[in-house]
Each structure stands twice: as structure tokens, then as C-alpha cells.
Amino acid sequence: MAEQLIYRCKLNEGIHARPAGHIERLCNTFRAEVFWKNFRTGITANAKSALALVGTDTLLNDLCEIAFCGEDEFDASLQLSDLMEKLLFLEEAVQEDSPITASPVPRTLRELHPACFHGTRICGGVAIARPLICQSISFAQLENQAPKEFLGEKEEILRFRAGINMLKKEKILRLENISGVERDIVEAHLSVINDITFSTQVEDNIHQHLNAYSAVVSAASVFSEILSRSASKYIRERVLDVMDITQQILMKIYAELVLPHSELRLTELTLLIADRLTPGKFLALDKSFLAGLVLSHTGKTSHTAILARSLGIPTITDLDDALLAGDTRQVMVLDGNLGLLIPAPDAAVLRYYESELAVSAVKQQQMLAKVSEPALTADGHRLEVLANIGSSAEVENIFRFGAEGIGLYRTEMAFMDRPQPPSEEELFWHYSKVLQRANGKPVIFRTIDIGGDKPVEYLNIPEEENPFLGYRAIRIYPEFIGLYRTQLAAILRASAEGNAKIMIPMIASVEEVIWCRSVLEEVKAELKLRALPFNDAIEMGVMLEVPSVLFAITEIARHADFFSVGSNDLTQYLFAADRGNTRVEKVYDHYSPAFLRALKFAVDGVHREGRWIGICGELAADPLLLPVLAGLGFDELSMSASAIPAIKNDISGLSLVKCRSLVAKVLAAGNSSEVKSLLISPDVAVDIPRAILTHDCILHNVAAGSRNEVIKTLTDNLWLQGRTANREKLAEDIWKREDSFPTAVGFGFAIPHTKSDFISHSTISIAKLQESVQWAEQSVNIVIMLTIRKDSTDNDHMKYFSRLARKIMNEDFRNEISRSETASEIYKAVSQAIDVEF
């Protein structure tokens, strides 16, 4: 009797190209036939064909039957069952961050009334460049380019196979030199190239007297039609990958063939506008000339969009096809942050975005200039900021972002996707390289977290109904003691090369820690017998992700040197809410007072025992929660490397005393909404007195074309000077006053002013303009802007305004400002006028 499996799809995006490729590659190692039936769609497919699998339109929660027929059917069913559980982890491992929701359009841009198209944000950033319009080719257009000759069935099949093999070798060779998103995409394309159903269909078409060209196009067109009928947009977007591979195959078969739009050459900074841009064409572009991307139909989950996001190229999608007939001579503006394309910006809009680019570049330079310095709050409290990594290949880049070490090295990837476990020597080599590159900075190796939710073939761990709460991590170590001891030996030996630490995942009780400590000591003894060097004082810590640890800190601290909160898992275990399940995403809540109280309980408990505690996961890089984490007393934050410069910059402006005061309010809050309200504009900046008037807030010879531009220039400068964390909101507050009563006071002067939650230090900003601007009904060339903290008294607010207004009535004062040629001269005149010491 044939073997059967019943599988309910657990993948959010269903069985698309990547998981289908994994299934296809495994099934092609069996002699048994494997058939996949989706009960919802009624479609049955050969599981040895990735394209056929995707064509079953298997979506999240679909129930499927997998049937095996052949001499190795039993073994095939066991291995495929293991893979189906493993797929969930493999998809999480390659999943990119979701595109961030576009920000509201700021008032200073709304004032310009730009004619724009609204799209969906893929990757933030601003691009100003002339466009290049790229329209895709259809399968019908491809067929129209088909050569007419037919060399006979045998010759055409040989021609097709030769082309496929050439492309396959090229892709395999490329895999040796790429990683990350690009590697995932090339592997998905290889699955199409190797697809048995596709090749069979092409050869059947040749037997029907189609030449190799038409046979390939016809087969690809059939599969694309199947994919395009899917209920999942994610799967429909795989049509682009089929078209990509089709064109690549044709180019290999017919080397002399020149397809329409087959090559895109960028010779200057360019904004590329395309309806459907294939990954292959994107990868072939010279990125040094690619300012930004507008993908009118290529969705956010397409491989092209994922590649653009991984490279940080400003990109938006879901725009009108009318853009494809745009004027390529006109410079356009792409605002990836807001999800906007401005096809015909006027001079004011161009100045706005040129200013945005310049200001952002200065801010980035400010942050990068400080990344090598220790993370210290403004009142001198030390917080270590480290990076999370998943492979040794990532180490090269993390330290240039300012990482002070590696707070979480996920070691399990080296144990997966292979027929047998790595050897001690292999692990030792990898770990040593990481420690050598860290150059004395700490590297925390989290021991293997595999099992129920991340199975590996050679362990043969049975399928579990709830693998996230099942047999995984520390829980499998006693059974697979050899695997655990091998890894410990490799870490210990590598510790002779640098500052290594060991961290055990999924700890739930003190007994588990005692056992881990005893095994560690045994492995140390063995290494001494082998006369191999290691750090005998290496620290061993535990992950705090299971809530039971909160109530066993005292006992565990006797055997562990440190604790690290796994914020993602602790949240989902505390609320019993799977973080990957969109139906319960509202329950999974980092801002809940209950969760934050649990963190407080953990930090206080660990510190009472004289141990240090860190936190890793997405929470550590949340700028809203940063003052809370500092105020709670965490010693270390570990996050993705790209988030480190901004987090270290934010830490430098914090007052630990005020952060602790904020924590008290947060912990007393009644719900998440109250917590978020407290975090929107918290008073956490250090109370280091800053003069209300300083040279760096006086701008001389400013080129501005409008009142709006002046306000933006001054609020941008306040952001660069560290006096506001939200320049857009501050500008909104300035404009509220202008809307009710314009602040031009005559004689070419204006005094815009506000009391705002979004200014951390009350400031007088001054701009002397190159040319006068219209300020409501008056012409203005001197602007003195007052931004006063909301908690200042009315007397403070009006005192400076009234003094300035009176002084402006004095002709000598006006002449002194008008004749000034430097910011210092303006500073001297104004400081005397308002009785500020200078």
C-alpha cells in the first residue's frame, strides 16, 4: 500500500517558489513517485516539479495529501515529513523585514502642493533623477520574435538541453560567490531550470514540431497562466520569475538572439520606472547609477522588490501605468519614505528635496562619526550595544556600524541543510574566524536552537503538534549529547582566540542549567587531556525567554554568569500568542504594561544576584522603547547591525534619571495605548543647560524661496543640533501659529514662535536671507524663530517675544542686523537685545 501524508500548510505565503524548490530537490532524491493534492483547489501535481507544486495554489491552512509510490516510499515519507516542518523555519530565516508604513506627508511639503502619485513603500530614501522607462515584454511578444527554422526533433531537443545545462552551470557557479537574498533567488531560479515538468513540457512541444524557442515560450506561458490564477498575490508575482528564466534560457539557446528590452544600460544617475522588472534585469543593472525604482506592477513580495530593499535602494510600487508614458527629459523625485513619486517637480519642490538629501547626509555623518565610541547616556551611564548575526559571513560589516561585540550568534544555521552534522574542526574554524575578526570584543555563541520548530534530517525528531513549545534547544541536548559536546568543544577551543561567551537557549528550570554547567566542565576536562588551549573562565549564560525563569532567577544565577532576554519569544510565551500568526498579532504586544513589568522584574532580580542582563530581538532596536530599556536597567542591547548607529546616537541624548522616571509612569499605565502616548514625546533628555541663543542656531545668507522653506530650514537645523527629535512635528506646531496669525512684524522681520512638546531645549533660531520672501502680506528678510519647551512658563515664552518685538521698533537695532556680515555679528546684536550673556 502506498504511503500517504496529510499536511496542513503553515506558511504565511503558501507553497511558493522557495519552499517548492526545497520540496522538489528532496523528492528528486527518491525513486518513489510523489504526488501532491490540494483538497481546496482539487489540483494534483508531481512533487518532483517546483512549478507544478506552485501551480497547486497551496495557501496558508490548506489541507493537502502527499502520496508516495515506489520502493523507497516509506523513507521518502519520513524525510518529506521532516522537511515540511522545517520549511517554516527556512522561510523565517530568509524573510525580509516588512516594508514600513509610509509616514504622513509633513506640513512643509504639503505647503508646496506637489502634484504626485501615491504608491506603496518598499524601501525608504529620496532619489532625484531623470527617469528611464522600461516596459516589460509579454509571452505573446516573445513568440513574435521566434525564429522560423525547425532543425528536427532530435536537434531541437539537443539545442534545448544544451541551453538549459549552460544556464544551470552558470547559476551553480554564481552560488559560490553570493549569499543572503540574492542566493535565495538564484536557488529559486535553479528550481525552475531543473524542473522536470517544465523540461518534459518543452520536449513534448518539440515533438509537436515547435522549435526550441517556441517550445520554451509555450511551456513557460502555460505555467505562468496557472500561477496568475492563484488566489495569492505572492504566488501570482512568481510569474515574473518564470519570465526571467524563460528569457535567460532563450539567450543561452540562441546566443545571437537580441530580445526586446533584453538589456538595460544606465549611463547616468537614473530613476528606473518599470511595469514588471525581472530579478535578472535588476541584478544586471549598474547600481552606481540607479538612484531609485518605481515598479508599477511589481509587488512588494516580488523578488525584485526584495532585492531592492536588501540593497537600500529607494523603491515604491503600485503606481499608475500612465507613468510609463512619462517625459524622460524631466527630472523626477521619488520619496520612498512617503511612498510618493513627483513626476514634474517645480523649483520649490526640488529645493525641498535637495535640502532633504543634504540634511539627511549630515545627520548620517554625525551618527557614523560617533559609532566607534562607547554608548553612554548624556549623564554618563554605560549601555553596551552589540549585533545579532546568523553566520560568520556577516561579521565583516557589523563593526563599521559601531557594534561593540556580537550579542547573539545564532549557531544553528551551520547544522541545517546538510546530511550530517558539522565536525568539531569545522565549527572550531568558523568560531575562531569570528573571534579573530571581533578583535577582543565579546562574542556570545548561542548554542544550537534546533528541534521541534527547526528540525534537521539527521536527528529524526518526530513531528510535533506544537513545535514552538516542544522538543527543541536545551531539551534535545541530553539525547544528542554528542552534538552538544562537539559544539561546546569547538567554542571552548575558539575561546583561546578571543572573548567568547556561551549562552543556552530555551532554559526553563535550574536543573537544566546545572546539567549544562556539568557538561561544560566535563568538556573542559577532556580538552585539558588533549592539551588544547581554551579560556577556563569562559562565561556561560542563559536565554530568558520562558516565563518560568522569571521566578527562578535566584537559583539559576548560582550557576549562570549572565542572562539575556529573548524579547520575541518571551512576548509570545507570556501572552500565549504565536508571533507569526496575524490573527493574534494584537495579543502579541511589546507595549503592554504587563510585559514591561515582567522585564522590570527580570532586571531587578538579575541585578540583585550580582549578574548582568541584556536583551536581544527586535525590541532592542525600537527607538520608542529605548528610554524604557535604559530606565529599566538593562546592561546590554543586541540588535541588527544596521540599527546600531541611530540607537547609539539616541542613547547619547538620554538622561538615565529621566528614563527611570518614565519607566515609573509606564509601569503604572493601565494599557498599551497609555504606554504609547507616554512614549510619543517623552521628557528623557538630560538637563544639561543649553543656552537659548547659540552661534550654531544662527544661519547667515540663507537661500530660501518662501516662508515655508525658511521654517523647514530652521527646524531642520534644530534637528541637526540635537534640539528636537521630531522636526516634522515641530514644524507643524510653528505652522499652527502661522495659520492663526502670521508673525511678520514689519520692517522686514518675522518672529515665528511656538510652545511645543517637540523641542527639547528652548531656542532662538535666526535666519538672515539672501533675498526677501513673502510672509503673508509682508516682505521679510530677517527671521527670528522662538521654539519654547511646553513645560516653560508663559512668562518665559512672552518675555523674549516682547523684547524682540520692541527691539525691532528700534532703527539702530534693525540696521545693525541688516548690515551684519557674519553669524557672530548677529549673535552679538540679538544677545544684547534680549539680555543673554555672550
Side-chain angles (χ1 to χ4, degrees):
M1 180 179 176
E3 292 290 327
Q4 289 183 333
L5 287 177
I6 299 298
Y7 168 70
R8 185 175 295 279
C9 182
K10 300 176 182 179
L11 305 179
N12 288 334
E13 304 295 350
I15 302 297
H16 57 90
R18 279 194 305 270
H22 288 298
I23 296 167
E24 170 236 2
R25 285 191 290 274
L26 177 61
C27 288
N28 275 299
T29 65
F30 309 138
R31 290 182 293 277
E33 294 181 338
V34 187
F35 295 98
W36 181 294
K37 180 178 181 180
N38 183 334
F39 286 116
R40 178 181 61 82
T41 63
I43 300 174
T44 299
N46 180 357
K48 295 185 177 182
S49 164
L51 283 174
L53 279 168
V54 175
T56 64
D57 197 19
T58 300
L59 307 179
L60 178 66
N61 292 322
D62 277 359
L63 197 64
C64 301
E65 178 187 77
I66 308 170
F68 305 81
C69 184
E71 58 183 284
D72 57 353
E73 61 189 37
F74 180 71
D75 184 48
S77 68
L78 289 178
Q79 291 190 47
L80 188 59
S81 176
D82 286 343
L83 176 63
M84 301 315 294
E85 290 302 316
K86 182 179 176 183
L87 282 178
L88 186 62
F89 170 70
L90 291 173
E91 280 301 282
E92 287 178 349
V94 300
Q95 185 176 355
E96 290 295 302
D97 293 337
S98 298
I100 301 171
T101 304
S103 305
V105 177
R107 172 63 186 268
T108 47
L109 180 57
R110 295 201 307 271
E111 277 293 308
L112 303 178
H113 306 292
C116 58
F117 293 89
H118 292 261
T120 300
R121 170 179 175 168
I122 298 296
C123 184
V126 170
I128 304 173
R130 269 191 285 270
L132 174 64
I133 309 296
C134 172
Q135 290 186 303
S136 63
I137 188 171
S138 68
F139 283 105
Q141 289 172 313
L142 269 183
E143 180 56 36
N144 288 336
Q145 300 293 318
K148 303 301 181 185
E149 75 272 17
F150 179 73
L151 303 179
E153 292 182 21
K154 183 177 180 181
E155 285 299 319
E156 293 292 346
I157 287 174
L158 287 174
R159 173 184 272 188
F160 165 65
R161 291 177 179 174
I164 279 281
N165 286 332
M166 286 171 61
L167 187 58
K168 184 189 302 184
K169 289 177 183 177
E170 181 182 289
K171 298 287 184 184
I172 292 171
L173 187 63
R174 189 170 185 177
L175 284 177
E176 296 178 3
N177 301 306
I178 58 176
S179 60
V181 177
E182 186 175 347
R183 182 180 183 87
D184 297 329
I185 292 169
V186 172
E187 286 180 338
H189 284 184
L190 263 173
S191 291
V192 177
I193 295 167
N194 290 324
D195 195 279
I196 187 172
T197 303
F198 178 71
S199 294
T200 300
Q201 184 65 60
V202 172
E203 295 191 11
D204 285 347
N205 290 343
I206 292 174
H207 290 311
Q208 299 299 316
H209 297 283
L210 294 180
N211 62 23
Y213 184 108
S214 294
V216 168
V217 173
S218 177
S221 179
V222 168
F223 280 110
S224 293
E225 181 62 28
I226 293 171
L227 298 181
S228 66
R229 291 197 297 265
S230 171
S232 165
K233 184 179 180 182
Y234 192 93
I235 291 177
R236 292 198 300 272
E237 288 176 352
R238 301 286 76 78
V239 171
L240 204 58
D241 295 283
V242 176
M243 172 59 82
D244 199 359
I245 290 300
T246 300
Q247 294 184 62
Q248 292 180 44
I249 292 172
L250 294 178
M251 296 293 283
K252 290 299 178 189
I253 297 174
Y254 299 87
E256 74 284 359
L257 185 69
V258 178
L259 295 172
H261 316 297
S262 61
E263 186 177 6
L264 287 172
R265 290 187 179 177
L266 307 183
T267 57
E268 62 177 355
L269 200 61
T270 301
L271 179 61
L272 186 61
I273 300 177
D275 56 349
R276 292 175 178 87
L277 182 68
T278 65
K281 287 182 180 177
F282 175 83
L283 289 170
L285 292 170
D286 184 345
K287 308 303 185 299
S288 64
F289 289 127
L290 183 59
L293 275 175
V294 178
L295 305 170
S296 62
H297 287 294
T298 307
K300 64 184 180 183
T301 56
S302 72
H303 282 152
T304 303
I306 293 170
L307 279 167
R309 190 161 61 245
S310 72
L311 295 175
I313 296 169
T315 305
I316 60 175
T317 186
D318 298 332
L319 272 83
D320 197 297
D321 277 338
L323 288 170
L324 297 172
D327 183 358
T328 57
R329 296 167 299 176
Q330 169 72 51
V331 168
M332 296 185 180
V333 173
L334 168 65
D335 189 329
N337 304 317
L338 303 177
L340 300 179
L341 179 72
I342 304 174
D346 60 20
V349 171
L350 281 175
R351 283 199 305 272
Y352 177 96
Y353 278 105
E354 286 165 355
S355 170
E356 279 294 284
L357 288 172
V359 169
S360 296
V362 172
K363 191 67 172 180
Q364 185 70 9
Q365 289 171 0
Q366 287 178 348
M367 292 191 297
L368 291 176
K370 300 177 181 178
V371 292
S372 60
E373 299 174 8
L376 292 171
T377 64
D379 47 1
H381 178 70
R382 179 83 163 91
L383 257 175
E384 287 191 87
V385 181
L386 289 81
N388 301 332
I389 66 170
S391 69
S392 56
E394 298 174 56
V395 179
E396 294 293 341
N397 290 324
I398 65 169
F399 295 114
R400 69 183 179 89
F401 284 109
E404 298 172 39
I406 297 169
L408 175 64
Y409 185 167
R410 303 179 185 93
T411 61
E412 53 271 6
M413 294 303 292
F415 290 79
M416 305 185 73
D417 269 343
R418 54 189 300 156
Q420 69 282 321
S423 67
E424 179 185 317
E425 290 302 321
E426 181 182 345
L427 294 175
F428 167 62
W429 185 85
H430 281 294
Y431 299 163
S432 296
K433 289 295 181 185
V434 171
L435 286 162
Q436 288 165 10
R437 290 169 183 161
N439 195 28
K441 295 183 175 70
V443 178
I444 301 178
F445 295 92
R446 185 181 72 182
T447 53
I448 46 175
D449 184 3
I450 53 180
D453 65 326
K454 307 168 190 172
V456 296
E457 296 172 14
Y458 50 81
L459 297 185
N460 293 317
I461 297 174
E463 181 180 348
E464 296 177 302
E465 187 172 340
N466 192 342
F468 292 102
L469 299 179
Y471 195 51
R472 54 174 285 204
I474 171 63
R475 300 170 183 183
I476 75 166
Y477 294 179
E479 179 179 351
F480 301 101
I481 185 66
L483 202 69
Y484 179 49
R485 294 173 76 100
T486 295
Q487 183 175 40
L488 287 180
I491 296 172
L492 283 168
R493 288 175 59 191
S495 70
E497 305 284 347
N499 186 5
K501 303 177 193 291
I502 298 169
M503 184 161 65
I504 314 297
M506 202 65 181
I507 287 293
S509 68
V510 66
E511 289 81 6
E512 291 170 333
V513 185
I514 292 171
W515 182 83
C516 288
R517 177 66 75 179
S518 68
V519 175
L520 178 63
E521 294 306 318
E522 290 172 7
V523 175
K524 286 181 180 180
E526 291 174 4
L527 292 179
K528 289 176 182 176
L529 289 174
R530 293 163 61 188
L532 293 172
F534 64 91
N535 176 15
D536 197 22
I538 190 170
E539 291 184 26
M540 188 192 84
V542 301
M543 291 287 291
L544 198 166
E545 46 198 342
V546 179
S548 60
V549 173
L550 291 168
F551 307 100
I553 288 173
T554 298
E555 293 78 16
I556 291 175
R558 295 171 188 156
H559 309 280
D561 299 302
F562 64 90
F563 292 72
S564 182
V565 173
S567 59
N568 295 338
D569 276 342
L570 180 60
T571 307
Q572 74 171 349
Y573 294 148
L574 194 67
F575 293 110
D578 179 358
R579 68 177 186 262
N581 187 336
T582 56
R583 294 183 177 182
V584 295
E585 61 185 4
K586 291 183 179 178
V587 183
Y588 179 89
D589 186 3
H590 284 152
Y591 296 93
S592 164
F595 174 71
L596 298 174
R597 289 168 196 150
L599 294 184
K600 174 66 171 170
F601 189 86
V603 172
D604 289 349
V606 171
H607 285 166
R608 273 196 303 270
E609 301 305 321
R611 300 290 187 256
W612 64 267
I613 182 169
I615 186 167
C616 55
E618 62 188 52
L619 193 67
D622 186 335
L624 281 180
L625 280 171
L626 176 63
V628 175
L629 299 179
L632 286 170
F634 279 99
D635 304 292
E636 175 218 80
L637 309 175
S638 190
M639 62 197 69
S640 63
S642 60
I644 290 176
I647 290 294
K648 291 182 82 169
N649 181 71
D650 289 349
I651 288 171
S652 67
L654 295 178
S655 159
L656 184 62
V657 172
K658 290 189 173 184
C659 289
R660 288 170 176 165
S661 177
L662 175 66
V663 165
K665 296 174 185 175
V666 163
L667 297 182
N671 53 53
S672 299
S673 296
E674 290 181 24
V675 170
K676 290 176 183 176
S677 295
L678 288 165
L679 300 181
I680 289 175
S681 182
D683 178 18
V684 290
V686 72
D687 279 328
I688 298 175
R690 296 184 71 174
I692 193 168
L693 180 66
T694 60
H695 289 83
D696 52 23
C697 289
I698 299 175
L699 306 179
H700 191 272
N701 204 32
V702 173
S706 66
R707 167 174 54 165
N708 181 64
E709 203 169 329
V710 175
I711 291 173
K712 173 173 166 52
T713 299
L714 291 175
T715 52
D716 284 351
N717 187 58
L718 288 168
W719 183 54
L720 293 177
Q721 302 305 328
R723 290 174 176 252
T724 180
N726 195 326
R727 56 192 173 129
E728 290 86 5
K729 290 288 187 182
L730 181 60
E732 291 268 4
D733 286 347
I734 291 286
W735 265 108
K736 286 176 186 176
R737 181 58 61 94
E738 292 293 323
D739 288 337
S740 61
F741 192 83
T743 55
V745 294
F747 308 106
F749 281 75
I751 313 179
H753 54 280
T754 187
K755 290 186 73 174
S756 175
D757 284 324
F758 301 101
I759 189 75
S760 55
H761 299 84
S762 294
T763 307
I764 297 173
S765 302
I766 303 172
K768 184 176 180 183
L769 311 182
Q770 289 181 6
E771 303 288 341
S772 297
V773 300
Q774 201 64 25
W775 205 282
E777 301 300 321
Q778 299 187 38
S779 180
V780 165
N781 64 349
I782 306 289
V783 180
I784 304 176
M785 186 172 82
L786 281 70
T787 45
I788 308 297
R789 280 174 50 144
K790 199 67 169 283
D791 58 4
S792 296
T793 66
D794 285 338
N795 186 50
D796 287 338
H797 183 212
M798 296 306 298
K799 176 177 66 177
Y800 295 114
F801 182 85
S802 59
R803 285 181 182 174
L804 286 167
R806 287 196 304 270
K807 204 65 179 173
I808 288 169
M809 301 301 293
N810 183 300
E811 184 178 1
D812 291 340
F813 174 76
R814 296 196 306 268
N815 290 338
E816 187 175 2
I817 297 294
S818 299
R819 288 195 298 265
S820 63
E821 296 184 356
T822 65
S824 295
E825 291 176 6
I826 295 175
Y827 173 80
K828 181 178 180 180
V830 175
S831 60
Q832 288 175 334
I834 61 174
D835 296 332
V836 172
E837 292 184 6
F838 64 96

